[in-house]
Amino acid sequence: MDPIIRVSHVDMKFHMNMTRTNSLKEWFVQKARGKLRYEDFYALKDVSLEVERGEVVGIVGQNGSGKSTLLKVISGIYKPSAGEVVSAGRIAPMLELGSGFDYELSGEENVFLNGAILGFEESFLKAKYQEILEFSELGDFIHQPIKTYSSGMVMRLAFSVATLIEPEILIVDEILAVGDQHFQKKSLDRMMQLMSSGTTVLLVSHSIEQIRQLSTHCIWLDHGHVMMDGPTKDVCDAYDTYMNT
């Protein structure tokens, strides 16, 4: 069976301004004089991996290792500088809370907007709407503009939309660490339900215990390179040893 995600020799290069300026005015002056200095920074370098359908893949690594960048490349948010990403399923990315929301619109309107962005028909979203509302626990706030929501309320709505429409591929970046204890448990239960039903999940978390609990396959990134790719226990044990030496 072909993998549901294949990443082949991917580079992600950013052109970074290395000139220090103290104000926007100074930046424009330096730019006009042609004195801005840029350097190329590789967030990912020659990354290759495969994810099988129904797998739960954990991604570990220190801050700046390329974890979130990899998820954005797989989601299609970033176009890789080199290499190729091929996916064979509909992706629901949960990377930056509310990134698909229009903050001037109500929560209800954003359910349909976000669902449409993810590729779902209005009739399907209408059938799922009550379930999304109940899971989010927003009550009458669903009719208020998103700009009036707390970050926790935005998270609850984003999680509810992304997980209750049953995506083929769910990409999650630290989402389970946000919100109160009650909703964290509820979110974890929902994730477990999705995993048992065959949804493919890519999960980034700073909690190694969470990665050990949820994933069967793990990838360790360091400075944009794949250090190790294999069974979760083997990779997490090696990562723990590295971090504690």
Side-chain angles (χ1 to χ4, degrees):
M1 182 182 297
D2 289 335
I4 193 169
I5 298 170
R6 179 184 285 116
V7 177
S8 304
H9 304 289
V10 161
D11 291 350
M12 189 67 233
K13 179 175 68 174
F14 295 98
H15 199 47
M16 299 183 65
N17 175 25
M18 305 302 292
T19 306
R20 291 189 177 184
T21 54
N22 296 319
S23 66
L24 187 59
K25 178 181 178 181
E26 185 180 349
W27 183 89
F28 277 112
V29 169
Q30 297 287 8
K31 181 176 175 61
R33 292 174 177 173
K35 292 190 175 182
L36 293 181
R37 183 170 58 87
Y38 293 91
E39 289 184 7
D40 289 336
F41 168 74
Y42 281 87
L44 299 172
K45 187 66 176 175
D46 196 27
V47 170
S48 295
L49 58 94
E50 291 185 351
V51 178
E52 300 298 328
R53 191 174 296 274
E55 270 195 306
V56 179
V57 179
I59 303 175
V60 299
Q62 299 181 73
N63 288 338
S65 62
K67 303 185 301 297
S68 296
T69 301
L70 177 60
L71 295 188
K72 288 178 180 178
V73 168
I74 292 172
S75 300
I77 295 171
Y78 288 160
K79 177 177 171 50
S81 307
E84 181 181 46
V85 176
V86 177
S87 62
R90 189 176 348 228
I91 297 176
M94 297 184 63
L95 304 178
E96 297 173 358
L97 291 179
S99 58
F101 289 159
D102 183 332
Y103 277 61
E104 296 299 320
L105 300 180
S106 69
E108 180 178 5
E109 290 167 322
N110 272 287
V111 168
F112 292 94
L113 172 63
N114 203 237
I117 290 171
L118 294 174
F120 291 94
E121 299 289 336
E122 184 179 6
S123 57
F124 175 82
L125 295 170
K126 284 181 176 178
K128 284 285 185 180
Y129 174 74
Q130 192 60 35
E131 190 179 354
I132 290 169
L133 174 59
E134 290 173 4
F135 191 92
S136 70
E137 302 177 359
L138 288 174
D140 289 340
F141 281 103
I142 197 70
H143 304 298
Q144 299 301 315
I146 293 282
K147 65 183 179 182
T148 66
Y149 286 17
S150 67
S151 60
M153 293 166 71
V154 173
M155 180 277 295
R156 296 207 304 269
L157 185 59
F159 187 91
S160 301
V161 173
T163 61
L164 292 171
I165 57 177
E166 300 170 3
E168 293 170 276
I169 303 169
L170 181 64
I171 296 182
V172 184
D173 189 354
E174 296 289 354
I175 193 77
L176 299 182
V178 183
D180 59 32
Q181 191 171 6
H182 161 72
F183 199 81
Q184 283 184 32
K185 182 182 184 306
K186 188 174 177 179
S187 299
L188 182 59
D189 290 344
R190 176 59 183 157
M191 290 284 291
M192 299 296 284
Q193 182 184 349
L194 282 171
M195 293 168 192
S196 65
S197 68
T199 298
T200 304
V201 180
L202 273 69
L203 173 68
V204 162
S205 175
H206 282 101
S207 169
I208 294 298
E209 291 311 309
Q210 196 173 76
I211 295 291
R212 288 183 185 274
Q213 178 186 2
L214 296 176
S215 65
T216 53
H217 172 189
C218 193
I219 295 162
W220 171 14
L221 288 179
D222 186 66
H223 292 89
H225 296 269
V226 176
M227 297 290 288
M228 193 171 177
D229 182 348
T232 294
K233 184 179 185 307
D234 295 346
V235 176
C236 286
D237 285 353
Y239 181 66
D240 275 340
T241 300
Y242 171 80
M243 293 297 292
N244 291 311
T245 55

Coordinates of all heavy atoms in Angstrom, one line a residue, residues 16-103:
M16 N 16.8 35.6 5.3 CA 16.7 36.4 6.5 C 17.5 37.6 6.6 O 18.7 37.6 6.2 CB 17.1 35.5 7.7 CG 16.2 34.3 7.9 SD 16.6 33.3 9.3 CE 16.1 34.4 10.6
N17 N 16.9 38.7 7.0 CA 17.6 40.0 7.2 C 18.5 39.9 8.4 O 18.0 39.7 9.5 CB 16.6 41.1 7.3 CG 17.3 42.5 7.6 OD1 18.5 42.7 7.2 ND2 16.5 43.4 8.2
M18 N 19.8 40.1 8.3 CA 20.7 40.0 9.4 C 21.2 41.3 9.9 O 22.0 41.4 10.8 CB 21.9 39.1 9.0 CG 21.6 37.8 8.5 SD 20.6 36.8 9.6 CE 21.9 36.5 10.9
T19 N 20.7 42.4 9.3 CA 21.1 43.8 9.7 C 20.2 44.3 10.9 O 19.0 44.3 10.8 CB 20.9 44.8 8.5 OG1 21.6 44.3 7.4 CG2 21.5 46.1 8.9
R20 N 20.9 44.7 12.0 CA 20.1 45.2 13.1 C 19.8 46.6 12.9 O 20.6 47.5 12.6 CB 21.0 45.0 14.4 CG 21.2 43.6 14.8 CD 21.9 43.5 16.2 NE 22.0 42.2 16.7 CZ 22.5 41.9 17.9 NH1 22.9 42.9 18.7 NH2 22.6 40.6 18.2
T21 N 18.5 46.9 13.1 CA 18.0 48.3 13.0 C 17.1 48.6 14.3 O 16.5 47.6 14.8 CB 17.2 48.5 11.8 OG1 16.1 47.6 11.7 CG2 18.1 48.4 10.5
N22 N 17.1 49.8 14.7 CA 16.4 50.2 15.9 C 15.0 50.7 15.6 O 14.2 50.9 16.6 CB 17.2 51.2 16.7 CG 18.5 50.7 17.2 OD1 18.6 49.5 17.7 ND2 19.5 51.5 17.1
S23 N 14.6 50.9 14.4 CA 13.3 51.4 14.1 C 13.0 51.1 12.6 O 13.9 50.7 11.8 CB 13.2 52.9 14.3 OG 14.1 53.6 13.3
L24 N 11.7 51.2 12.3 CA 11.3 50.9 10.9 C 11.9 52.0 10.0 O 12.3 51.7 8.8 CB 9.8 51.0 10.8 CG 9.1 50.6 9.5 CD1 9.5 49.2 9.1 CD2 7.6 50.8 9.5
K25 N 12.0 53.2 10.5 CA 12.7 54.3 9.7 C 14.1 53.9 9.3 O 14.5 54.1 8.2 CB 12.6 55.6 10.4 CG 13.3 56.8 9.7 CD 13.2 58.1 10.5 CE 13.9 59.2 9.8 NZ 13.9 60.4 10.6
E26 N 14.9 53.5 10.3 CA 16.2 53.1 10.1 C 16.3 51.9 9.1 O 17.2 51.9 8.2 CB 16.9 52.7 11.4 CG 18.4 52.4 11.3 CD 19.1 52.0 12.6 OE1 18.4 52.2 13.6 OE2 20.2 51.5 12.5
W27 N 15.4 51.0 9.2 CA 15.4 49.9 8.2 C 15.2 50.4 6.8 O 15.9 49.9 5.9 CB 14.2 48.9 8.6 CG 14.2 47.7 7.7 CD1 14.9 46.5 7.9 CD2 13.5 47.5 6.5 NE1 14.6 45.6 6.9 CE2 13.7 46.2 6.0 CE3 12.6 48.3 5.8 CZ2 13.2 45.7 4.9 CZ3 12.1 47.8 4.6 CH2 12.4 46.5 4.2
F28 N 14.3 51.3 6.6 CA 14.1 51.9 5.2 C 15.3 52.6 4.7 O 15.7 52.6 3.6 CB 12.9 52.8 5.2 CG 11.6 52.1 5.1 CD1 10.6 52.0 6.1 CD2 11.3 51.4 3.9 CE1 9.4 51.3 5.9 CE2 10.1 50.7 3.7 CZ 9.2 50.7 4.8
V29 N 16.0 53.4 5.7 CA 17.2 54.1 5.3 C 18.3 53.1 4.8 O 18.9 53.3 3.8 CB 17.7 55.0 6.5 CG1 19.1 55.5 6.1 CG2 16.7 56.1 6.7
Q30 N 18.5 52.1 5.6 CA 19.5 51.1 5.3 C 19.1 50.4 4.0 O 20.0 50.1 3.1 CB 19.6 50.0 6.4 CG 20.1 50.6 7.7 CD 21.6 51.0 7.7 OE1 22.2 50.9 6.6 NE2 22.1 51.3 8.8
K31 N 17.8 50.1 3.8 CA 17.4 49.4 2.5 C 17.7 50.3 1.3 O 18.2 49.9 0.3 CB 15.9 49.1 2.6 CG 15.4 48.4 1.4 CD 14.0 48.0 1.5 CE 13.4 47.4 0.3 NZ 14.1 46.2 -0.2
A32 N 17.4 51.6 1.5 CA 17.6 52.6 0.4 C 19.1 52.7 0.0 O 19.4 52.9 -1.1 CB 17.0 54.0 0.8
R33 N 19.9 52.6 1.0 CA 21.4 52.6 0.8 C 22.0 51.3 0.3 O 23.2 51.2 0.1 CB 22.1 53.1 2.1 CG 21.8 54.5 2.5 CD 22.4 54.8 3.8 NE 22.1 56.3 4.2 CZ 22.5 56.8 5.4 NH1 23.0 56.0 6.3 NH2 22.2 58.1 5.6
G34 N 21.1 50.3 0.3 CA 21.6 49.0 -0.1 C 22.5 48.3 0.9 O 23.4 47.5 0.5
K35 N 22.3 48.6 2.2 CA 23.2 48.1 3.2 C 22.5 47.0 4.1 O 23.1 46.6 5.1 CB 23.6 49.3 4.1 CG 24.6 50.2 3.4 CD 25.2 51.2 4.3 CE 26.2 52.1 3.6 NZ 26.8 53.1 4.5
L36 N 21.4 46.5 3.7 CA 20.8 45.4 4.4 C 21.5 44.1 4.0 O 21.8 43.9 2.8 CB 19.3 45.3 4.1 CG 18.4 46.4 4.6 CD1 16.9 46.1 4.2 CD2 18.5 46.6 6.1
R37 N 21.8 43.3 5.0 CA 22.6 42.1 4.8 C 21.7 40.9 5.0 O 21.0 40.8 6.1 CB 23.8 42.0 5.7 CG 24.7 40.8 5.5 CD 26.0 41.0 6.4 NE 25.7 41.2 7.8 CZ 25.5 40.1 8.6 NH1 25.6 38.9 8.2 NH2 25.3 40.4 9.9
Y38 N 21.6 40.0 4.1 CA 20.8 38.8 4.2 C 21.6 37.6 4.2 O 22.7 37.5 3.6 CB 19.8 38.8 3.0 CG 18.8 39.9 3.0 CD1 19.0 41.1 2.3 CD2 17.5 39.7 3.6 CE1 18.1 42.1 2.3 CE2 16.6 40.8 3.6 CZ 16.9 41.9 3.0 OH 15.9 42.9 3.0
E39 N 21.1 36.6 4.9 CA 21.6 35.2 4.8 C 20.5 34.2 4.7 O 19.4 34.4 5.1 CB 22.4 34.9 6.2 CG 23.7 35.7 6.3 CD 24.4 35.3 7.6 OE1 24.0 34.3 8.3 OE2 25.4 36.0 7.9
D40 N 20.9 33.1 4.0 CA 19.9 32.0 3.9 C 19.9 31.1 5.1 O 21.0 30.8 5.6 CB 20.3 31.2 2.6 CG 20.0 31.9 1.3 OD1 19.2 32.8 1.4 OD2 20.6 31.6 0.3
F41 N 18.8 30.8 5.6 CA 18.6 29.9 6.7 C 17.8 28.7 6.3 O 16.7 28.9 5.8 CB 18.0 30.7 7.9 CG 17.5 29.8 9.0 CD1 18.5 29.2 9.9 CD2 16.2 29.5 9.2 CE1 18.1 28.4 10.9 CE2 15.8 28.6 10.2 CZ 16.7 28.1 11.1
Y42 N 18.3 27.5 6.6 CA 17.6 26.3 6.3 C 16.9 25.8 7.5 O 17.5 25.3 8.4 CB 18.5 25.2 5.7 CG 18.9 25.4 4.3 CD1 20.0 26.2 3.9 CD2 18.2 24.8 3.3 CE1 20.4 26.4 2.6 CE2 18.6 25.0 1.9 CZ 19.6 25.8 1.6 OH 20.0 26.0 0.3
A43 N 15.5 25.9 7.5 CA 14.7 25.3 8.6 C 14.6 23.8 8.4 O 14.5 23.1 9.4 CB 13.3 26.0 8.6
L44 N 14.6 23.3 7.2 CA 14.6 21.9 6.9 C 15.7 21.6 5.8 O 15.8 22.4 4.9 CB 13.3 21.4 6.4 CG 12.1 21.6 7.3 CD1 10.8 21.3 6.5 CD2 12.2 20.8 8.5
K45 N 16.4 20.5 6.0 CA 17.5 20.2 5.0 C 17.4 18.7 4.7 O 17.7 17.9 5.5 CB 18.8 20.6 5.6 CG 20.0 20.4 4.6 CD 19.9 21.4 3.5 CE 21.1 21.3 2.5 NZ 21.0 22.2 1.4
D46 N 17.1 18.5 3.4 CA 17.1 17.1 2.9 C 16.3 16.1 3.7 O 16.7 15.1 4.1 CB 18.5 16.6 2.7 CG 18.6 15.3 1.8 OD1 17.7 15.2 1.0 OD2 19.5 14.5 2.0
V47 N 15.0 16.5 4.1 CA 14.1 15.7 4.9 C 13.3 14.8 4.0 O 12.7 15.2 3.1 CB 13.2 16.6 5.7 CG1 12.1 15.8 6.4 CG2 14.0 17.4 6.7
S48 N 13.4 13.5 4.3 CA 12.6 12.5 3.7 C 11.9 11.6 4.7 O 12.5 11.2 5.7 CB 13.5 11.6 2.8 OG 14.0 12.4 1.7
L49 N 10.6 11.3 4.5 CA 9.9 10.4 5.4 C 8.6 10.0 4.7 O 8.2 10.6 3.7 CB 9.6 11.2 6.7 CG 8.7 12.4 6.6 CD1 7.3 12.2 6.8 CD2 9.2 13.4 7.7
E50 N 8.1 8.9 5.3 CA 6.8 8.4 4.8 C 5.9 8.1 6.0 O 6.3 7.7 7.0 CB 7.0 7.1 4.0 CG 7.8 7.3 2.7 CD 7.8 6.0 1.8 OE1 7.5 4.9 2.3 OE2 8.3 6.1 0.6
V51 N 4.6 8.4 5.7 CA 3.6 8.1 6.8 C 2.5 7.2 6.1 O 2.0 7.5 5.1 CB 2.9 9.4 7.2 CG1 1.8 9.1 8.3 CG2 4.0 10.3 7.8
E52 N 2.3 6.0 6.8 CA 1.3 5.1 6.3 C -0.1 5.5 6.7 O -0.3 6.2 7.8 CB 1.6 3.7 6.8 CG 3.0 3.2 6.4 CD 3.1 3.1 4.9 OE1 2.1 2.8 4.2 OE2 4.3 3.2 4.4
R53 N -1.1 5.1 6.0 CA -2.5 5.4 6.3 C -2.8 4.8 7.7 O -2.6 3.7 8.0 CB -3.4 4.8 5.2 CG -4.8 5.3 5.3 CD -5.6 4.8 4.1 NE -5.2 5.4 2.9 CZ -5.5 6.6 2.4 NH1 -6.4 7.3 3.0 NH2 -5.1 7.0 1.2
G54 N -3.4 5.7 8.5 CA -3.9 5.3 9.8 C -2.8 5.3 10.9 O -3.1 5.1 12.1
E55 N -1.6 5.7 10.5 CA -0.5 5.9 11.5 C -0.7 7.1 12.4 O -1.3 8.1 11.9 CB 0.8 6.0 10.9 CG 1.5 4.7 10.6 CD 3.0 4.9 10.3 OE1 3.3 5.7 9.4 OE2 3.8 4.3 11.0
V56 N -0.2 7.1 13.6 CA -0.1 8.3 14.5 C 1.4 8.5 14.6 O 2.1 7.7 15.2 CB -0.8 8.0 15.8 CG1 -0.6 9.3 16.7 CG2 -2.2 7.7 15.7
V57 N 1.9 9.6 14.0 CA 3.3 9.9 14.0 C 3.6 11.1 14.9 O 3.1 12.2 14.7 CB 3.7 10.2 12.6 CG1 5.2 10.6 12.5 CG2 3.5 9.0 11.7
G58 N 4.4 10.9 15.9 CA 4.9 11.9 16.8 C 6.2 12.6 16.2 O 7.0 11.9 15.7
I59 N 6.3 13.9 16.4 CA 7.5 14.6 15.9 C 8.1 15.3 17.1 O 7.4 16.1 17.8 CB 7.2 15.6 14.8 CG1 6.5 14.8 13.6 CG2 8.5 16.3 14.3 CD1 6.1 15.7 12.5
V60 N 9.4 15.0 17.5 CA 10.0 15.5 18.6 C 11.3 16.3 18.2 O 11.8 16.1 17.1 CB 10.4 14.5 19.7 CG1 9.1 13.7 20.2 CG2 11.4 13.5 19.1
G61 N 11.7 17.2 19.1 CA 12.9 18.0 18.8 C 12.9 19.2 19.6 O 11.8 19.7 20.1
Q62 N 14.0 19.8 19.8 CA 14.1 21.1 20.6 C 13.5 22.2 19.8 O 13.2 22.1 18.6 CB 15.6 21.4 20.9 CG 16.2 20.3 21.7 CD 17.7 20.7 22.1 OE1 17.9 21.6 22.9 NE2 18.6 20.0 21.4
N63 N 13.3 23.4 20.5 CA 12.8 24.6 19.8 C 13.7 24.9 18.7 O 15.0 24.9 18.9 CB 12.7 25.7 20.8 CG 11.5 25.6 21.7 OD1 10.6 24.9 21.5 ND2 11.6 26.3 22.9
G64 N 13.2 25.3 17.5 CA 14.0 25.6 16.4 C 14.5 24.4 15.6 O 15.3 24.6 14.6
S65 N 14.0 23.2 15.9 CA 14.5 22.0 15.2 C 13.8 21.9 13.8 O 14.3 21.1 13.0 CB 14.3 20.8 16.0 OG 12.9 20.6 16.3
G66 N 12.7 22.6 13.6 CA 12.0 22.4 12.3 C 10.7 21.7 12.4 O 10.1 21.5 11.3
K67 N 10.2 21.4 13.6 CA 9.0 20.6 13.7 C 7.8 21.3 13.1 O 7.1 20.8 12.2 CB 8.7 20.3 15.2 CG 9.8 19.6 15.9 CD 9.4 19.3 17.3 CE 9.1 20.4 18.2 NZ 10.2 21.4 18.4
S68 N 7.5 22.6 13.5 CA 6.4 23.3 13.0 C 6.5 23.6 11.5 O 5.5 23.6 10.8 CB 6.2 24.6 13.8 OG 5.9 24.3 15.1
T69 N 7.7 23.9 11.1 CA 8.0 24.1 9.6 C 7.6 22.9 8.8 O 7.0 23.0 7.8 CB 9.4 24.5 9.4 OG1 9.7 25.7 10.2 CG2 9.7 24.8 7.9
L70 N 8.0 21.7 9.3 CA 7.7 20.5 8.6 C 6.2 20.3 8.5 O 5.7 20.0 7.4 CB 8.3 19.3 9.3 CG 8.0 17.9 8.7 CD1 8.5 17.8 7.3 CD2 8.6 16.8 9.6
L71 N 5.5 20.6 9.6 CA 4.0 20.4 9.5 C 3.4 21.4 8.5 O 2.4 21.1 7.8 CB 3.4 20.7 10.9 CG 3.7 19.7 12.0 CD1 2.9 19.9 13.2 CD2 3.5 18.2 11.5
K72 N 3.9 22.6 8.4 CA 3.4 23.6 7.5 C 3.7 23.3 6.0 O 2.9 23.5 5.1 CB 4.0 25.0 7.8 CG 3.4 25.6 9.1 CD 4.0 26.9 9.4 CE 3.4 27.5 10.7 NZ 4.0 28.8 11.1
V73 N 4.9 22.6 5.8 CA 5.2 22.2 4.5 C 4.3 21.0 4.0 O 3.7 21.0 2.9 CB 6.7 21.7 4.4 CG1 7.0 21.0 3.1 CG2 7.6 22.9 4.5
I74 N 4.0 20.1 5.0 CA 3.1 19.0 4.6 C 1.7 19.5 4.4 O 1.0 19.0 3.6 CB 3.2 17.9 5.8 CG1 4.6 17.2 5.8 CG2 2.1 16.9 5.6 CD1 4.8 16.3 7.0
S75 N 1.3 20.5 5.2 CA 0.0 21.1 5.1 C -0.2 21.9 3.8 O -1.4 22.2 3.4 CB -0.4 21.9 6.3 OG -0.3 21.2 7.5
G76 N 0.9 22.3 3.2 CA 0.8 23.1 2.0 C 0.8 24.6 2.3 O 0.7 25.4 1.4
I77 N 1.0 25.0 3.5 CA 1.1 26.4 3.9 C 2.4 27.0 3.4 O 2.5 28.1 2.9 CB 1.0 26.5 5.4 CG1 -0.3 26.1 5.9 CG2 1.3 28.0 5.8 CD1 -0.5 26.0 7.4
Y78 N 3.5 26.2 3.4 CA 4.8 26.6 2.8 C 5.1 25.7 1.6 O 4.8 24.5 1.7 CB 6.0 26.4 3.8 CG 6.0 27.3 5.0 CD1 6.8 27.0 6.1 CD2 5.4 28.6 5.0 CE1 6.9 27.8 7.2 CE2 5.5 29.4 6.0 CZ 6.2 29.1 7.2 OH 6.3 29.9 8.2
K79 N 5.6 26.3 0.6 CA 6.0 25.6 -0.6 C 7.5 25.3 -0.4 O 8.3 26.2 -0.1 CB 5.8 26.4 -1.9 CG 6.4 25.7 -3.1 CD 6.0 26.5 -4.3 CE 6.7 26.0 -5.6 NZ 6.6 24.6 -5.8
P80 N 8.0 24.0 -0.4 CA 9.4 23.7 -0.1 C 10.3 24.4 -1.1 O 10.0 24.5 -2.3 CB 9.4 22.2 -0.1 CG 8.2 21.8 -0.9 CD 7.2 22.8 -0.7
S81 N 11.5 24.7 -0.7 CA 12.5 25.3 -1.6 C 13.1 24.3 -2.5 O 13.5 24.6 -3.6 CB 13.6 25.9 -0.7 OG 13.2 26.8 0.2
A82 N 13.0 23.0 -2.1 CA 13.5 21.9 -2.9 C 12.8 20.7 -2.4 O 12.3 20.6 -1.3 CB 15.0 21.7 -2.9
G83 N 12.7 19.7 -3.3 CA 12.1 18.4 -2.9 C 10.6 18.4 -3.2 O 10.0 19.3 -3.8
E84 N 9.9 17.4 -2.7 CA 8.5 17.2 -3.0 C 7.7 16.6 -1.8 O 8.3 15.8 -1.1 CB 8.4 16.2 -4.2 CG 7.0 15.9 -4.7 CD 7.0 14.9 -5.8 OE1 7.7 13.9 -5.7 OE2 6.3 15.2 -6.8
V85 N 6.5 17.0 -1.7 CA 5.6 16.5 -0.7 C 4.3 16.0 -1.4 O 3.7 16.7 -2.2 CB 5.1 17.5 0.4 CG1 4.1 16.9 1.3 CG2 6.3 18.0 1.1
V86 N 4.0 14.7 -1.2 CA 2.8 14.1 -1.9 C 1.9 13.6 -0.8 O 2.3 12.8 0.1 CB 3.1 13.0 -2.8 CG1 1.9 12.4 -3.4 CG2 4.0 13.5 -4.0
S87 N 0.6 14.0 -0.8 CA -0.4 13.5 0.2 C -1.6 12.9 -0.6 O -1.9 13.4 -1.6 CB -0.8 14.5 1.2 OG -1.5 15.6 0.5
A88 N -2.2 11.9 0.0 CA -3.3 11.2 -0.7 C -4.5 11.2 0.2 O -5.3 10.2 0.3 CB -2.9 9.8 -1.0
G89 N -4.8 12.3 0.9 CA -5.9 12.5 1.7 C -6.2 13.9 2.1 O -5.3 14.8 2.0
R90 N -7.4 14.2 2.5 CA -7.8 15.5 2.9 C -7.2 15.9 4.2 O -7.3 15.2 5.2 CB -9.3 15.7 2.9 CG -9.7 17.1 3.1 CD -11.2 17.3 3.1 NE -12.0 16.2 2.7 CZ -13.0 16.3 1.7 NH1 -13.2 17.5 1.2 NH2 -13.8 15.3 1.4
I91 N -6.4 17.0 4.3 CA -5.7 17.4 5.5 C -6.4 18.5 6.2 O -6.9 19.5 5.7 CB -4.3 17.9 5.1 CG1 -3.5 16.8 4.4 CG2 -3.6 18.5 6.3 CD1 -2.1 17.3 3.9
A92 N -6.6 18.3 7.6 CA -7.1 19.3 8.5 C -5.9 19.8 9.4 O -5.5 19.0 10.3 CB -8.2 18.8 9.3
P93 N -5.3 20.9 9.1 CA -4.2 21.4 9.9 C -4.6 22.2 11.1 O -5.4 23.1 11.0 CB -3.3 22.2 8.9 CG -4.4 22.8 8.0 CD -5.5 21.8 7.9
M94 N -4.1 21.8 12.3 CA -4.4 22.6 13.5 C -3.0 23.1 13.9 O -2.4 22.6 14.8 CB -5.0 21.8 14.5 CG -6.4 21.2 14.1 SD -7.2 20.3 15.4 CE -7.4 21.6 16.6
L95 N -2.5 24.2 13.3 CA -1.2 24.7 13.5 C -1.2 26.0 14.3 O -0.4 26.2 15.2 CB -0.5 24.8 12.2 CG -0.4 23.6 11.3 CD1 0.3 23.9 10.0 CD2 0.3 22.5 12.1
E96 N -1.9 27.0 13.9 CA -2.0 28.2 14.5 C -3.5 28.5 14.8 O -4.3 28.6 13.9 CB -1.4 29.4 13.7 CG 0.1 29.2 13.4 CD 0.6 30.2 12.4 OE1 -0.2 31.0 11.9 OE2 1.8 30.1 12.1
L97 N -3.8 28.6 16.1 CA -5.2 28.6 16.5 C -6.0 29.7 15.7 O -5.6 30.9 15.8 CB -5.4 28.8 18.0 CG -4.9 27.6 18.8 CD1 -5.1 28.0 20.3 CD2 -5.7 26.4 18.5
G98 N -7.1 29.3 15.1 CA -7.9 30.3 14.4 C -7.4 30.9 13.2 O -7.9 31.9 12.7
S99 N -6.3 30.3 12.6 CA -5.7 30.9 11.4 C -6.6 30.9 10.2 O -6.4 31.7 9.3 CB -4.4 30.1 11.1 OG -4.7 28.7 10.9
G100 N -7.6 30.0 10.2 CA -8.6 30.0 9.1 C -9.8 30.8 9.4 O -10.8 30.7 8.7
F101 N -9.9 31.5 10.5 CA -11.0 32.2 10.9 C -11.0 33.7 10.5 O -9.9 34.3 10.4 CB -11.2 32.2 12.5 CG -11.6 30.9 13.0 CD1 -11.3 30.6 14.4 CD2 -12.2 29.9 12.3 CE1 -11.7 29.4 14.9 CE2 -12.5 28.7 12.8 CZ -12.3 28.4 14.2
D102 N -12.2 34.2 10.3 CA -12.4 35.7 10.0 C -12.9 36.2 11.4 O -14.0 36.0 11.8 CB -13.4 35.9 8.9 CG -13.5 37.4 8.6 OD1 -13.3 38.3 9.5 OD2 -13.9 37.7 7.5
Y103 N -12.1 37.1 12.0 CA -12.4 37.5 13.4 C -13.5 38.5 13.4 O -14.1 38.8 14.5 CB -11.1 38.1 14.1 CG -10.3 37.0 14.7 CD1 -9.7 36.0 13.9 CD2 -10.0 36.9 16.0 CE1 -8.9 35.0 14.4 CE2 -9.3 35.9 16.6 CZ -8.7 35.0 15.8 OH -8.0 34.0 16.3

